[in-house]
Amino acid sequence: MAPRGVILATTLLALNGCDGATSTLQTAGPAARVIADLWWAMLVGAVLIFMLVMALVVLAFVRRSPDVAADERGQVRVWIIALGLAFPMVVLAVLLGFGLVIGERLLPRDDVTVVQVSAQGQRWVWTFSYADAPGRVTEDILHIPAGQPVDVSITTADVIHSFWVPRLAGKLDAIPGRSNVLRIEADAPGDYQGLSAEFSGENYADFGFTVRAHDAAGWADFIAGETE
Amino acid sequence: MNVVTRHRRLDAIWASERGFRGWFSTVNHTDLGRMFLVTSFFFFIIGGILAMLIRAQLATPDSAFAGPDIYNQIFTMHGTIMMFLFAIPAFEGLAIYLLPKILGTRDLAFPRLTAYGYWCYVFGGSMLLVAMLLGIAPDSGWFMYTPLSNAIYSPGINTDFWLIGITFVEISAIAAAAEICVSILKFRAPGMTLAKMPIFAWYALVTALMILTGFPPLILGSILLEVERAFGFPFFQVELGGDSLLWQHLFWLFGHPEVYIIFLPAAGIVSTVLPVMCRTTLIGYGWIVAAIVALAFLSFGLWVHHMFTTGIPHMGLAFFSAASTLVAVPTAVQLFAWIGTMWKGRPELHLPMLHIMGFFATFVIGGLTGVMVAMVPFNWQVHDTAFITAHLHYVLFGGFVFPVFAGIYYWLPHVSGRKRFFRLGEFAFWLIFVGFHVTFFAMHWVGLLGQRRRIDTYTPEDGWTLINLISSVGSFVLSIGIAMVLLDVILHVLSSRKIRRNPWQAGTLDWAMMTPPPSYNFASLPHVDSRHPLADNPALPVRLAQGHGYLGTPRADWRETLMVDAATGRPEAHVIYPANTRLPILMSAVTGIFFLGLLLKTYWMVPIGMVGVAGLALRWVWMLGRRDDLGAQHVGQGVILPHASATDRSPGWWGSLFLMFANATLFGCLLFGFAFLWTVAPGWPPLVRFEPSFIELGVGVAAALGTALALRVAMAAVRNARATLPALGIALTGAVVFGACCAVMLWRAPPPVDHAYAATLFVLGSYGLFHAVLIVLMTGHLIARVWQGYTSPARRSEFAVVSLWGDYVAVIGSLVLLVGHLSGLSL
């Protein structure tokens, strides 16, 4: 895109009140996309259930005919067994199964093509290192290849932090003494805003980083040490 | 005796001292319930002002309103105050005010304990307020995650205020919970079986049991963290065998049940008020009771859903995800039972009902977003974002504040005896309802756009400006609404239109008395044969005032009531309550010296506080004794009952049982923590272990078991009027020997600052030693009683209480020594 176009688009988005650099819904990777789909599905379901409940409440006021089930047993059958027990159980069973399958799919699996990087949080800087470029260390910018799964091994040097790139995937904590592995993947080259998402004291609000996804040539250059 | 004479006689016996002096010496549940409620609303206002400061800060990007140091204190205190100093005490206040009335009796089980709990709440809460006024309030978030909250990253006194102040306040929660359990099970109107209890009592009972199970993990966590901060015992430091995740487990093991502890009483209000507003009765009483119990059990199985992003294996997450969604089922049972009740009756939109409608709309949304965040992948995205802030406010404001406002407007005529005159309430409701939804609905969206919780500012480029501004405007509308409720309540109390009795035509016993309620509640106690005694017999209040129930004739200066069988409600014993005293406020002030010594690190004050509390506690118990047998008493209706001290199951025994339940939970959490560190924490096994000694182990366990056995022998001896001193002497010796074995274990263990292993061992040994001292004091008390002639077969109940504690110490004492010594074996 021409520079003018970029400026125009940015201005419009800014006026619109959301440029979406940290939006979980403007997805740029498979993990975030799956989760955003889950959100939209749940939102539709939630709106329908909410409308059903509110309709039942309103009907209680406006209804003129006597109750469908006049005796206590009938009332229990309709309201408690059917609506209170059966209805949520069915909805939740479906949702739970859906959620588990998605969660299972997002887990890091052994795979030779996965790029290995490390992220260490420390108040208030992220330090990244790379299995493919031993000795190479970057601060506050994580370089990854685009279109390729990357496993980020997350640790901390002090308090608990959380590694989060909203447009790419969910977050995972950096816990003292532990190393957690998060799989991320960016569809296309570009910069993605990362946030530290566990309260860490004074400079927490500004504590973030950038994920820079390279195309194949750019990644090769980076590994070779030709990119700063 | 006519109605007026009876009223005067009873009032002279039961009334608190006049004027403000009465506040400090009252033990009356009506007074203390009102004091709890007023104080909790005072804290609600403070917490609300803090919320407005948060919204003022976030209204615009790059805000310079407060720097991060102040802002972190503000949001930490907002959460802390709303959870610990508003919601829980508001429940306690309502339960304390209402339970004896709705159960048809005259007071709670332990009137002085009510007062002690209240003053602990006031003093502990004041500590936090002082910290805030001095600008040294806690600032690591209300969840106090280590290592951020430890001495390295939070070196100031701020965090200590939280750990010590909140633990001080929790005494009141534990005290109130134990008292509520005993009151509901043992202090009801005769004839009221469990199945005939008003539904609110079920909610209160389950909530109280949850407090007894849910708060000990937090209390243990706070103790461990404070010990780590003050003395360097590394429970949560990974370099020395600790684990910061242990804190998260302990905190959320408390923190999640806490949400239901807050929601259940509010649901109890809905279940009580809604049927009255619909001119009918609740459908599915048994189902609702089952749902409440199921909710309580489930709520202890889903704390890990606050930890989905900590890297716990996915199969573990799946279990907790399933449990978290399952909890929606008992909630749905209640929700549809309420709606079904509305269909069954004829709903009328009075002000309490309006708030219940606000509750429906808000809480259903909160429940639906709750199911969403229980989905593990979605949780990975929205955890620690504004989406969660929005969700939890829908649940807590929707699930607690709206029902509480419904309850306020429902019971306000009961408290004041007056009718509403100004109609501000309806207008206030709409401001609150609209203001709330504008504030928090927007917050879901900005959370999805990536706004994290607890940030003190953001930039215009983030794109959150407009949503935050809308949210802040909404919050000010909400605040105006709440201020109008406050004004409405004040005007209500000042305006002067008296009401007729039972203005809502309710069927429960709380309305079967004068309003405002007299100090003794009922001039005589009713016999109950249904769930709606007042609806069955509208003349009941008059009959009771005329003395046609139990205990209709005032005797001496006795505050009399009845104890009943827990299941059937059959009258069991005659109880005389202690009268007004300043002992509770004095004892909580001395308890405050203990906590203040810890806080200010002036450790010479700590033993003074401990000795003072022990001395006052002995005085407390001693006052209840008698030097002569009371004999069986006529309690009316041709029933003759023994005094409670002539039984083995006195109120004190029941109270001990529930305290022990909380105590055992704390001990269980300690063992869990030990096992967790051993198996999960990095940095294990420790290099230096405790050197086990089977002699010490054998002697210690034998002494603990021997103490329990000797106390049982003493209990049998007093019942049969035989000499008790030999058995008590053996028990005392046994307790001393057991204590010595714990002390030796502490002495010989590796230095507790070296490794979490030794630190945990130190806490275990101290726990054993503390209980040894407790048994020594209790047995010493019994010996003094025997010596001074305070015991007989008809004055024997204290033996059963001490024996119960002896049994408890035998179990935990053996476990302490076994775990301690066996942990030293290298296999």
Side-chain angles (χ1 to χ4, degrees):
Chain A
M1 213 189 297
R4 243 184 68 199
V6 176
I7 292 163
L8 185 67
T10 320
T11 317
L12 277 175
L13 282 169
L15 284 174
N16 201 19
C18 68
D19 69 350
T22 56
S23 170
T24 60
L25 303 177
Q26 296 204 10
T27 59
R33 194 156 46 243
V34 170
I35 296 173
D37 290 345
L38 176 66
W39 152 252
W40 291 116
M42 290 194 300
L43 180 64
V44 171
V47 168
L48 290 177
I49 294 174
F50 178 74
M51 281 172 19
L52 169 74
V53 174
M54 287 304 114
L56 290 174
V57 169
V58 172
L59 276 177
F61 284 97
V62 298
R63 166 188 74 88
R64 283 282 168 264
S65 58
D67 195 351
V68 275
D71 62 325
E72 168 93 13
R73 274 175 73 192
Q75 286 157 355
V76 165
R77 207 177 308 129
V78 173
W79 293 104
I80 291 178
I81 297 177
L83 283 166
L85 287 170
F87 169 60
M89 276 188 181
V90 171
V91 172
L92 293 172
V94 171
L95 184 60
L96 195 64
F98 198 47
L100 288 182
V101 169
I102 292 174
E104 205 58 36
R105 281 219 317 259
L106 296 180
L107 293 182
R109 300 251 169 261
D110 289 336
D111 195 338
V112 278
T113 63
V114 174
V115 174
Q116 307 281 344
V117 299
S118 304
Q120 187 181 56
Q122 183 172 12
R123 302 202 298 175
W124 287 270
V125 59
W126 282 94
T127 311
F128 302 101
S129 52
Y130 305 85
D132 294 331
R136 192 79 198 267
V137 170
T138 54
E139 277 190 358
D140 290 334
I141 295 190
L142 170 64
H143 297 268
I144 60 167
Q148 217 177 324
V150 177
D151 277 359
V152 188
S153 165
I154 301 161
T155 56
T156 173
D158 46 28
V159 303
I160 298 175
H161 303 289
S162 195
F163 178 98
W164 186 33
V165 191
R167 296 188 60 198
L168 300 187
K171 60 182 74 62
L172 195 59
D173 290 355
I175 309 272
R178 287 193 166 74
S179 171
N180 285 329
V181 179
L182 177 73
R183 172 151 310 175
I184 59 171
E185 182 178 340
D187 295 332
D191 279 2
Y192 302 97
Q193 194 171 336
L195 298 166
S196 189
E198 182 62 62
F199 178 64
S200 56
E202 202 182 327
N203 292 332
Y204 173 61
D206 303 327
F207 190 21
F209 55 94
T210 303
V211 173
R212 184 159 293 162
H214 298 276
D215 56 19
W219 177 244
D221 287 350
F222 173 75
I223 294 296
E226 285 164 19
T227 326
E228 266 319 307
Chain B
M1 192 184 295
N2 71 20
V3 172
V4 177
T5 323
R6 180 175 294 103
H7 167 72
R8 291 213 177 113
R9 285 278 305 279
L10 280 168
D11 195 52
I13 295 171
W14 288 82
S16 306
E17 286 180 70
R18 292 196 175 281
F20 76 94
R21 294 161 60 90
W23 299 352
F24 305 109
S25 65
T26 183
V27 291
N28 181 293
H29 77 101
T30 301
D31 289 343
L32 286 162
R34 287 191 305 222
M35 287 155 77
F36 253 108
L37 283 167
V38 169
T39 313
S40 70
F41 274 88
F42 167 74
F43 281 111
F44 180 60
I45 303 294
I46 306 265
I49 292 171
L50 293 173
M52 291 167 77
L53 294 179
I54 294 174
R55 284 317 320 169
Q57 169 84 3
L58 294 180
T60 51
D62 295 327
S63 175
F65 180 71
D69 51 334
I70 296 295
Y71 181 79
N72 295 348
Q73 292 186 31
I74 291 175
F75 76 70
T76 301
M77 288 303 287
H78 167 69
T80 302
I81 286 177
M82 288 304 197
M83 288 287 191
F84 296 106
L85 302 180
F86 164 59
I88 299 292
F91 156 65
E92 288 163 17
L94 181 67
I96 286 168
Y97 179 85
L98 193 61
L99 278 175
K101 300 182 176 76
I102 209 166
L103 294 172
T105 182
R106 284 173 172 164
D107 207 325
L108 294 164
F110 310 106
R112 294 177 302 174
L113 189 65
T114 324
Y116 176 67
Y118 174 73
W119 292 110
C120 285
Y121 163 48
V122 169
F123 293 146
S126 308
M127 276 187 179
L128 286 162
L129 282 188
V130 167
M132 208 162 69
L133 291 175
L134 297 178
I136 47 173
D139 55 2
S140 324
W142 86 283
F143 49 96
M144 287 290 148
Y145 275 8
T146 62
L148 183 63
S149 60
N150 74 14
I152 302 165
Y153 300 106
S154 296
I157 197 173
N158 311 46
T159 306
D160 302 309
F161 268 109
W162 193 93
L163 295 169
I164 289 167
I166 291 302
T167 304
F168 194 7
V169 172
E170 287 338 316
I171 291 178
S172 76
I174 297 283
E179 176 164 34
I180 287 167
C181 289
V182 180
S183 303
I184 293 173
L185 290 177
K186 300 300 291 180
F187 289 76
R188 303 196 300 265
M192 187 187 276
T193 63
L194 284 179
K196 288 182 188 130
M197 284 206 306
I199 193 78
F200 183 81
W202 276 108
Y203 280 99
L205 178 64
V206 172
T207 308
L209 286 169
M210 288 180 70
I211 290 179
L212 294 179
T213 330
F215 278 55
L218 175 70
I219 294 174
L220 176 70
S222 301
I223 293 171
L224 297 185
L225 184 51
E226 183 55 31
V227 169
E228 175 178 304
R229 287 175 57 83
F231 307 111
F233 291 20
F235 301 104
F236 307 110
Q237 286 170 27
V238 72
E239 309 81 42
L240 297 173
D243 192 344
S244 61
L245 280 188
L246 175 61
W247 170 264
Q248 295 196 22
H249 280 292
L250 290 174
F251 186 83
W252 291 117
L253 199 48
F254 145 80
H256 200 82
E258 159 90 350
V259 175
Y260 294 90
I261 290 170
I262 291 172
F263 166 64
L264 277 180
I269 296 174
V270 175
S271 284
T272 306
V273 175
L274 182 130
V276 178
M277 295 292 129
C278 299
R279 305 263 152 269
T280 183
T281 54
L282 191 64
I283 66 169
Y285 175 94
W287 286 94
I288 290 185
V289 172
I292 307 167
V293 174
L295 204 59
F297 275 101
L298 285 172
S299 74
F300 283 95
L302 36 81
W303 78 93
V304 172
H305 77 207
H306 296 265
M307 299 165 66
F308 279 169
T309 63
T310 56
I312 290 169
H314 191 241
M315 275 328 285
L317 299 188
F319 171 82
F320 286 99
S321 176
S324 307
T325 48
L326 205 56
V327 87
V329 175
T331 314
V333 166
Q334 292 178 77
L335 179 74
F336 287 109
W338 291 324
I339 299 177
T341 304
M342 290 173 63
W343 280 59
K344 179 183 165 196
R346 282 177 293 110
E348 293 170 7
L349 211 51
H350 299 294
L351 188 48
M353 191 63 169
L354 206 52
H355 279 281
I356 290 178
M357 294 302 108
F359 154 76
F360 276 150
T362 313
F363 185 73
V364 169
I365 295 177
L368 290 167
T369 54
V371 171
M372 293 179 186
V373 297
M375 293 295 114
V376 176
F378 185 64
N379 187 292
W380 287 336
Q381 277 289 24
V382 294
H383 178 73
D384 267 330
T385 68
F387 189 93
I388 302 293
T389 318
H391 156 71
L392 77 91
H393 282 89
Y394 268 82
V395 172
L396 291 176
F397 202 101
F400 188 75
V401 180
F402 278 122
V404 162
F405 282 158
I408 286 179
Y409 280 113
Y410 179 75
W411 278 295
L412 205 52
H414 191 284
V415 177
S416 66
R418 290 167 202 276
K419 207 172 185 171
R420 260 177 0 111
F421 179 67
F422 297 100
R423 297 270 151 187
L424 274 177
E426 280 77 3
F427 187 48
F429 166 79
W430 286 109
L431 285 181
I432 293 173
F433 185 78
V434 173
F436 174 85
H437 284 273
V438 169
T439 308
F440 291 102
F441 201 78
M443 227 177 255
H444 290 113
W445 202 248
V446 84
L448 288 171
L449 293 183
Q451 181 173 324
R452 295 161 292 160
R453 298 170 77 172
R454 307 184 180 106
I455 51 168
D456 60 299
T457 188
Y458 53 94
T459 62
E461 292 78 48
D462 287 321
W464 307 325
T465 311
L466 183 63
I467 306 179
N468 274 297
L469 187 63
I470 291 172
S471 198
S472 293
V473 170
S475 78
F476 281 82
V477 174
L478 169 62
S479 306
I480 294 167
I482 287 172
M484 279 180 66
V485 169
L486 196 70
L487 186 66
D488 195 32
V489 170
I490 292 170
L491 286 175
H492 171 101
V493 177
L494 297 178
S495 73
S496 62
R497 288 168 68 195
K498 294 278 182 189
I499 46 155
R500 64 180 195 282
R501 201 188 302 235
N502 197 4
W504 304 110
Q505 301 296 307
T508 43
L509 286 171
D510 45 337
W511 297 98
M513 60 179 66
M514 294 191 274
T515 47
S519 51
Y520 51 85
N521 283 349
F522 299 97
S524 61
L525 302 185
H527 189 94
V528 172
D529 336 271
S530 90
R531 246 175 246 157
H532 311 284
L534 187 54
D536 297 346
N537 179 9
L540 186 67
V542 180
R543 303 271 304 159
L544 295 179
Q546 288 167 345
H548 293 297
Y550 297 91
L551 296 172
T553 317
R555 283 179 285 199
D557 58 348
W558 292 349
R559 298 189 174 190
E560 293 175 282
T561 194
L562 298 178
M563 230 171 118
V564 300
D565 178 72
T568 62
R570 185 176 43 78
E572 218 174 48
H574 172 241
V575 174
I576 303 173
Y577 286 127
N580 298 333
T581 165
R582 288 190 182 75
L583 196 55
I585 186 171
L586 181 63
M587 188 151 127
S588 58
V590 176
T591 313
I593 292 179
F594 168 80
F595 283 111
L596 208 60
L598 290 175
L599 177 65
L600 301 176
K601 309 222 183 309
T602 46
Y603 292 115
W604 55 269
M605 281 164 67
V606 175
I608 294 178
M610 286 165 90
V611 171
V613 169
L616 289 170
L618 288 172
R619 167 99 192 108
W620 181 293
V621 184
W622 191 264
M623 279 166 68
L624 293 178
R626 294 180 68 90
R627 276 206 150 117
D628 55 328
D629 288 349
L630 201 56
Q633 300 287 321
H634 288 270
V635 297
Q637 313 280 315
V639 178
I640 300 174
L641 294 177
H643 185 258
S645 65
T647 65
D648 288 333
R649 299 282 182 271
S650 62
W653 188 89
W654 284 94
S656 296
L657 188 70
F658 286 103
L659 276 185
M660 251 171 234
F661 178 63
N663 193 347
T665 314
L666 183 117
F667 184 65
C669 290
L670 183 58
L671 293 183
F672 161 80
F674 200 18
F676 177 85
L677 288 177
W678 197 300
T679 52
V680 178
W684 283 67
L687 291 175
V688 188
R689 298 264 196 102
F690 177 59
E691 205 171 287
S693 151
F694 287 99
I695 297 170
E696 287 168 27
L697 175 63
V699 170
V701 171
L705 296 177
T707 305
L709 195 65
L711 287 170
R712 280 172 172 261
V713 171
M715 184 167 71
V718 75
R719 193 186 301 133
N720 299 318
R722 290 200 309 266
T724 53
L725 285 178
L728 290 177
I730 294 172
L732 193 66
T733 317
V736 170
V737 172
F738 164 68
C741 290
C742 292
V744 169
M745 185 173 117
L746 288 176
W747 179 257
R748 294 202 304 108
V753 289
D754 287 358
H755 195 273
Y757 165 74
T760 315
L761 219 53
F762 187 89
V763 176
L764 267 178
S766 308
Y767 184 83
L769 188 58
F770 173 81
H771 282 83
V773 172
L774 198 66
I775 294 296
V776 167
L777 287 175
M778 286 178 160
T779 314
H781 167 81
L782 285 185
I783 291 171
R785 281 285 207 216
V786 174
W787 187 42
Q788 295 279 315
Y790 277 88
T791 58
S792 78
R795 286 169 283 136
R796 64 167 197 267
S797 59
E798 288 179 346
F799 281 78
V801 175
V802 177
S803 173
L804 183 65
W805 281 98
D807 291 349
Y808 178 75
V809 175
V811 175
I812 60 102
S814 307
L815 281 171
V816 162
L817 292 171
L818 272 172
V819 170
H821 285 269
L822 294 186
S823 76
L825 292 177
S826 30
L827 298 173

